[in-house]
Amino acid sequence: HDIIYYEDKTAYESGNPYGEGESWEQHSAEAADAHTVVNITAPGAYRISGKLSAGQIRIDLGEAAYEDENAVVELILSDADITCTVAPAILFRLTYECDGDWSAETANAQVDTDKAGANLILEGHNTVTGSHVAKIFKDKEGEKKLWKQDGAIYSYMSMNVFGPGKLDLTADNEGLDTELHLTINGGELAIRADNDGINTNEDGVSVTTINGGSIHIMAGLGAEGDGIDSNGWLVINGGTVVSAANPGADAGLDSDLGSYINGGTVIALGSTMDWAESDSDQVTMN
């Protein structure tokens, strides 16, 4: 499978499709062709070790996987070193979606991702360096978005992260991203991101849940970026979270519908800050 990237060509003769003053990343065909795509197309547990200096791990079980409870992949990083300079280094494209009936009308802060088809398991000490895919449209007028993959590790599906290993993640845009829900159950994560460190991006639906582990984030190393940004809810039940954002404009913790701190140790730094909700189980100081 060829890598999906934001091609450097004159597809948009009218200028920047993002609009005046907005940035857009382009890459050459030569740079993309230098990358190897490791394709995972069947359910199972896959252990990745060693070094992939220019490549992507792509998990795509096909269109039917979205509703198939057996379409589950456990991607085990075991002392792996993966670098991709034109797109996400790890991409979960299609697996089982545990919240297949999601809607903004019924969404809430409590979500169970135990059966999610996208699972990242950390063993040993892993290093991942990734890029992103900016907006690609089906036509030059930009009427319909075809691809947009913001994070160095990106999942279109709800995703779980498990320990006990370590992950050093470096991103030229956002770090760890999902389209729907993200649950972190363990592991030691160190994230350096030019934009958001962690992002879940379905408006009014997504839930970022942290149940354990140790998470250290340096975000907004470019022009802007929150440490943890949920377009729905943020729920922290345990673990250690140290989340620093760009002090110019952004927050260590940012959620559209509420941040709940029920346990663990949380330190968030930034110029603007979401207040923990009053019914959080743990006393907080802002």
Side-chain angles (χ1 to χ4, degrees), residues 106-120:
T106 59
N108 60 77
Q110 304 302 316
V111 64
D112 183 359
T113 63
D114 284 351
K115 294 183 178 180
N119 298 278
L120 184 65

Side-chain angles (χ1 to χ4, degrees), residues 140-159:
K140 65 192 319 181
E141 288 77 27
E143 292 180 355
K144 187 170 183 179
K145 184 174 70 177
L146 179 59
W147 298 108
K148 189 171 187 287
Q149 301 160 1
D150 290 331
I153 297 178
Y154 195 84
S155 178
Y156 285 86
M157 308 287 109
S158 295
M159 181 169 70

Side-chain angles (χ1 to χ4, degrees), residues 127-131 152 168-172 174-175 190-193:
T127 301
V128 176
T129 302
S131 185
D168 290 336
L169 178 61
T170 302
D172 70 2
E174 296 181 348
I191 300 174
R192 294 177 58 87

Side-chain angles (χ1 to χ4, degrees), residues 100-254:
D101 296 326
W102 63 267
S103 72
E105 287 72 28
T106 59
N108 60 77
Q110 304 302 316
V111 64
D112 183 359
T113 63
D114 284 351
K115 294 183 178 180
N119 298 278
L120 184 65
I121 301 171
L122 305 174
E123 292 183 351
H125 193 165
N126 304 280
T127 301
V128 176
T129 302
S131 185
H132 66 290
V133 179
K135 294 176 184 175
I136 299 177
F137 297 99
K138 285 189 175 180
D139 54 65
K140 65 192 319 181
E141 288 77 27
E143 292 180 355
K144 187 170 183 179
K145 184 174 70 177
L146 179 59
W147 298 108
K148 189 171 187 287
Q149 301 160 1
D150 290 331
I153 297 178
Y154 195 84
S155 178
Y156 285 86
M157 308 287 109
S158 295
M159 181 169 70
N160 295 313
V161 177
F162 301 93
K166 298 180 180 180
L167 172 64
D168 290 336
L169 178 61
T170 302
D172 70 2
N173 188 44
E174 296 181 348
L176 179 60
D177 268 36
T178 68
E179 291 276 334
L180 201 51
H181 307 305
L182 171 67
T183 301
I184 298 175
N185 294 299
E188 296 182 35
L189 283 69
I191 300 174
R192 294 177 58 87
D194 279 9
N195 204 310
D196 298 338
I198 293 175
N199 183 267
T200 50
N201 55 35
E202 184 61 44
D203 292 345
V205 177
S206 288
V207 182
T208 300
T209 306
I210 299 172
N211 293 320
S214 176
I215 303 167
H216 289 75
I217 298 171
M218 291 288 291
L221 298 176
E224 61 182 11
D226 297 308
I228 301 176
D229 182 0
S230 174
N231 288 14
W233 291 268
L234 170 61
V235 181
I236 300 176
N237 296 316
T240 298
V241 179
V242 179
S243 181
N246 188 315
D250 294 295
L253 305 179
D254 179 19

